[in-house]
Amino acid sequence: MPSHNADIAAIFEKIADLLEIEGANPFRIRAYRNAARIIGELSVEAYALMEKEEDLTGIPGIGRDLSAKIKEIVTTNRCSLLDRLRTELPPAVTELLKVPGLGPKRVRHLYHDLDVQTVEQLYCAARDGRIRALPGFGEKTELNILQAVEAHADQVSRFKLAVAAQYAEALRSYLVAAPGVMKVTVAGSYRRMRETVGDLDIVITAAEPRPVMQYFISYDEVAEILAAGGTRASVILTCGLQVDLRVVAEESYGAALHYFTGSKSHNIAVRYIAQKRGLKINEYGVYRDGARIAGESEESVYRAVGLSYIPPELRENRGEIVLARAKRLPQLVELGDLRGDLHAHTKATDGHNTLREMALAAKRHGWEYLAITDHSRQLAVARGLDPLRLARQCEEIDALNEELEGIILLKGIEVDILEDGSLDLPDHVLAKLDLVVGAVHSKFELSRARQTERILRAMQHPNFTILAHPGGRLIQQRPPCDIDMARVIREAGRRGCFLELNAQPERLDLLDTYCQMAREEGVLVSVNSDAHSTFDFDNLRFGIGQARRGWLEKKNILNTRSLGELQILINRTMERPARLRHRDEQNNHDSLAPRAR
DNA sequence: GCCGTTTTCGGCCCGACTGTTTTCAGTCG
């Protein structure tokens, strides 16, 4: 089996770590880190490109040398440079870099002078007082290392976006009441809507920074103060989340916000462009010959370097800068563009609300339609529906549609895709529904070939509409299934099927890179809540965040369509409630007629 | 190690805070 992109990325990261400890050229190290990121995010496998004899040096950041190393890794599962580095340094020392306060220089000293190779050995050396004697170290540093290792043991590395949001929003409402505060914005990966957040970066404008800093570190939930200077402070909250806060003057708000939103890679690229134009960008503004020319808003920062405004979700240095220069950035979808939701559950299976409650909640969100898609019988733990119970639910939906104004319920099912790719309900049952959402809920560990075939076969069913949570992963709990997603997306395009972007905070599945692929293949994505209660509709904001990270526009999203347009796209003869049929006839909506697939 | 709207060689983002120094290196974001 050839190496996957994730394997290649891990090798490049390891090489970068080891080179850094060796004291190699920092730009060479950066090249490996860049390459690790780029390969890790690539939406197509490097080995697949090689099979097609495509030139890997066409990938930005991959030159002749790295291209050769990728080929070496793919064909031999080894990398001779890494093998050589391993003979010079024990690979475990790279673990020491993860200890806060330890960088490559200190790790090198610890290894060469004290033969410290592991975190355990580091802890013993600190406890025995051997570290303070090293040049450049002192008693305080030794104590910090001791505490960092102790804290490291039970540290949660990243927080799911929705969890971080709870802490961020509470802290934000505390901070807006700080003395003299004008603006408070949570920046960083939170603002970029990454699926997980490592820490919170908060930018504040205020005339006087010091009272704000004092107010911040007095927050009830602050467990530990890591640093607190005049304009910048870092704390750890009781939940374990680190918060970095920066206070700047009003005139620097845009520059500071840009800087603290990142990503790091995006910022480096933008500053490089500035440098080429004889400008300097820092968190206070954009400068020419020491004179401020921009920085009060992010728009002004981008304008100063000849770029159009880049929304935070795009700032990953994945090609957005080239498009911003050409003024061809996508017009990203917004939460308000949604006209309905195509995946929701009720009390009939594992949901918590009745049909009526879900319908009324959807109406309150201002939507035209809501698809009811309870589980099918195979999912016994959720009391999945058999044909009889499903038929009863359909009757209830018909009755509600006749009664309720301003919202239409669609009759659907979240049907299990069985191991062989068949669907969990008979064809004649599925044929009666408005839409069929297919999902894998078992046998996650099948081989890539079998898992891919399973899904392709399911999509070939004439009534199949949407593939739910395509990757099957649960963030930080379950890895994604091994699936050839490129093939699945192409097949969806051929069959006229759609892919779901499931907005549940623990799923956020389709991944952003696959959203980009779907967009390129012309496959529409349905951003669905998978609501199990009326509260879950609010999760759609995270789904829309992920869609925006995947460069999706309103036109790329299935459920931004009106009911009439949706009906054409999903190609079902929906039995419309009598009052709507009457209106249709009056308006002579020819375009609503279903089209043959 | 990559890259080119000055360049195939000589560049490669920038500043705050801490601790160990006694003017700055290391780390972090």
Side-chain angles (χ1 to χ4, degrees):
Chain A
M1 187 67 200
S3 297
H4 291 293
N5 290 350
D7 306 321
I8 300 168
I11 288 175
F12 285 170
E13 272 296 340
K14 194 79 174 171
I15 288 174
D17 284 346
L18 289 167
L19 285 174
E20 201 164 26
I21 296 170
E22 278 203 340
N25 177 350
F27 299 106
R28 186 179 172 211
I29 296 161
R30 185 195 287 172
Y32 278 102
R33 294 215 190 279
N34 272 339
R37 183 183 59 84
I38 290 160
I39 294 297
E41 290 175 352
L42 208 59
S43 50
V44 50
E45 292 276 8
Y47 68 75
L49 292 175
M50 283 172 55
E51 281 166 9
K52 287 194 274 180
E53 298 191 350
E54 289 202 27
D55 184 9
L56 298 179
T57 63
I59 304 168
I62 305 298
R64 263 177 44 198
D65 183 277
L66 286 173
S67 163
K69 286 197 170 65
I70 293 170
K71 287 178 185 163
E72 182 195 3
I73 295 166
V74 166
T75 49
T76 67
N77 283 319
R78 305 185 63 84
C79 176
S80 48
L81 172 62
L82 181 58
D83 291 344
R84 180 176 71 69
L85 289 170
R86 280 180 162 149
T87 64
E88 293 163 9
L89 277 173
V93 293
T94 57
E95 287 304 302
L96 298 176
L97 290 172
K98 292 182 188 155
V99 178
L102 289 190
K105 304 264 169 47
R106 285 179 174 158
V107 168
R108 186 159 73 239
H109 269 300
L110 288 164
Y111 172 60
H112 283 300
D113 300 351
L114 295 179
D115 196 30
V116 165
Q117 298 185 18
T118 65
V119 177
E120 289 73 29
Q121 290 168 347
L122 175 74
Y123 185 75
C124 292
R127 199 190 48 201
D128 301 346
R130 285 181 284 138
I131 288 177
R132 68 183 74 178
L134 295 178
F137 291 76
E139 264 183 66
K140 188 77 206 315
T141 305
E142 188 178 70
L143 184 65
N144 285 344
I145 289 172
L146 213 48
Q147 288 172 343
V149 173
E150 281 167 358
H152 205 239
D154 55 3
Q155 185 189 332
V156 181
S157 51
R158 294 184 73 86
F159 287 70
K160 286 196 265 284
L161 179 62
V163 176
Q166 294 170 14
Y167 297 113
E169 281 155 20
L171 178 54
R172 190 180 174 282
S173 29
Y174 171 78
L175 289 171
V176 291
V181 152
M182 289 172 275
K183 296 194 179 84
V184 180
T185 307
V186 184
S189 50
Y190 178 79
R191 183 163 178 247
R192 302 201 313 277
M193 299 293 278
R194 274 197 59 178
E195 59 196 34
T196 60
V197 170
D199 59 15
L200 296 178
D201 299 286
I202 300 182
V203 177
I204 289 184
T205 61
E208 280 290 320
R210 290 211 172 263
V212 179
M213 303 304 278
Q214 196 53 48
Y215 183 83
F216 169 54
I217 59 177
S218 311
Y219 185 49
D220 256 1
E221 293 179 32
V222 168
E224 188 186 348
I225 299 168
L226 298 175
T231 63
R232 187 170 194 161
S234 294
V235 304
I236 307 265
L237 300 182
T238 46
C239 64
L241 186 59
Q242 181 170 329
V243 183
D244 300 320
L245 177 130
R246 183 65 179 268
V247 184
V248 295
E250 190 73 10
E251 61 181 18
S252 295
Y253 174 68
L257 187 57
H258 178 255
Y259 172 53
F260 285 99
T261 297
S263 66
K264 185 174 181 159
S265 173
H266 172 89
N267 285 355
I268 289 174
V270 172
R271 287 184 179 194
Y272 183 66
I273 293 171
Q275 204 185 37
K276 291 284 167 201
R277 297 179 152 229
L279 303 173
K280 186 176 80 167
I281 300 184
N282 58 28
E283 53 262 59
Y284 301 108
V286 184
Y287 297 84
R288 172 175 283 131
D289 302 327
R292 267 179 60 91
I293 62 162
E296 68 284 359
S297 68
E298 286 191 314
E299 286 81 356
S300 76
V301 173
Y302 283 113
R303 199 164 46 236
V305 294
L307 301 177
S308 52
Y309 174 79
I310 302 177
E313 296 91 338
L314 295 184
R315 300 182 195 170
E316 298 291 345
N317 200 18
R318 290 181 189 158
E320 74 278 10
I321 290 171
V322 175
L323 290 188
R325 187 184 276 145
K327 312 268 185 268
R328 284 179 38 228
L329 283 171
Q331 286 292 314
L332 299 181
V333 62
E334 292 176 16
L335 186 58
D337 290 332
L338 294 182
R339 307 281 287 267
D341 187 347
L342 297 177
H343 185 167
H345 298 267
T346 73
K347 267 186 155 167
T349 60
D350 57 352
H352 294 101
N353 292 95
T354 62
L355 272 176
R356 178 184 295 274
E357 288 162 347
M358 294 298 278
L360 293 176
K363 185 180 166 180
R364 281 198 297 278
H365 279 265
W367 298 331
E368 282 180 57
Y369 49 86
L370 171 70
I372 299 300
T373 55
D374 269 312
H375 290 290
S376 64
R377 58 192 175 187
Q378 171 81 11
L379 207 62
V381 285
R383 296 185 303 114
L385 301 180
D386 58 24
L388 191 63
R389 288 173 64 215
L390 178 59
R392 258 189 243 132
Q393 185 179 63
C394 288
E395 285 169 17
E396 280 181 60
I397 289 175
D398 283 336
L400 267 177
N401 277 338
E402 289 301 328
E403 176 195 337
L404 295 178
E405 285 286 341
I407 185 77
I408 294 292
L409 294 181
L410 304 181
K411 286 172 278 188
I413 186 83
E414 181 181 3
V415 67
D416 264 46
I417 299 174
L418 306 181
E419 186 177 354
D420 63 357
S422 61
L423 302 182
D424 181 34
L425 287 171
D427 293 354
H428 71 272
V429 172
L430 297 176
K432 284 184 188 153
L433 299 170
D434 295 325
L435 80 168
V436 171
V437 175
V440 167
H441 289 122
S442 60
K443 300 280 179 185
F444 298 107
E445 70 294 339
L446 291 184
S447 72
R448 187 179 182 84
R450 287 182 62 196
Q451 198 70 274
T452 305
E453 284 307 321
R454 172 191 194 182
I455 292 169
L456 293 180
R457 187 179 161 209
M459 290 200 306
Q460 283 156 11
H461 190 285
N463 296 112
F464 195 96
T465 319
I466 298 173
L467 177 63
H469 39 77
R473 64 96 179 254
L474 295 174
I475 297 172
Q476 294 170 334
Q477 290 173 58
R478 186 171 70 210
C481 299
D482 196 359
I483 297 168
D484 186 344
M485 200 60 81
R487 260 185 90 191
V488 168
I489 291 172
R490 281 197 303 274
E491 182 67 10
R494 267 198 294 273
R495 303 290 310 176
C497 300
F498 308 96
L499 296 189
E500 175 179 83
L501 196 173
N502 187 298
Q504 281 193 50
E506 59 274 22
R507 291 193 185 271
L508 292 178
D509 179 11
L510 207 58
L511 302 194
D512 49 9
T513 47
Y514 292 134
C515 288
Q516 278 184 303
M517 197 186 278
R519 174 186 141 105
E520 284 158 18
E521 292 286 335
V523 173
L524 298 191
V525 172
S526 188
V527 181
N528 294 339
S529 70
D530 193 357
H532 285 69
S533 83
T534 54
F535 297 111
D536 289 349
F537 291 132
D538 292 328
N539 288 332
L540 280 166
R541 64 180 172 132
F542 302 116
I544 288 292
Q546 177 97 331
R548 290 167 62 88
R549 289 181 57 79
W551 295 41
L552 298 185
E553 306 184 65
K554 182 179 176 182
K555 66 183 180 194
N556 305 125
I557 307 289
L558 178 63
N559 48 329
T560 59
R561 304 298 205 270
S562 69
L563 182 61
E565 293 165 327
L566 177 78
Q567 190 180 15
I568 293 169
L569 284 165
I570 65 179
N571 194 22
R572 295 285 180 279
T573 317
M574 289 184 210
E575 195 159 324
R576 311 247 293 160
R579 59 185 167 77
L580 286 186
R581 277 204 306 276
H582 180 62
R583 196 191 301 165
D584 291 347
E585 284 155 17
Q586 279 186 332
N587 295 341
N588 192 20
H589 272 190
D590 290 338
S591 64
L592 292 185
R595 202 174 46 181
R597 181 173 281 183

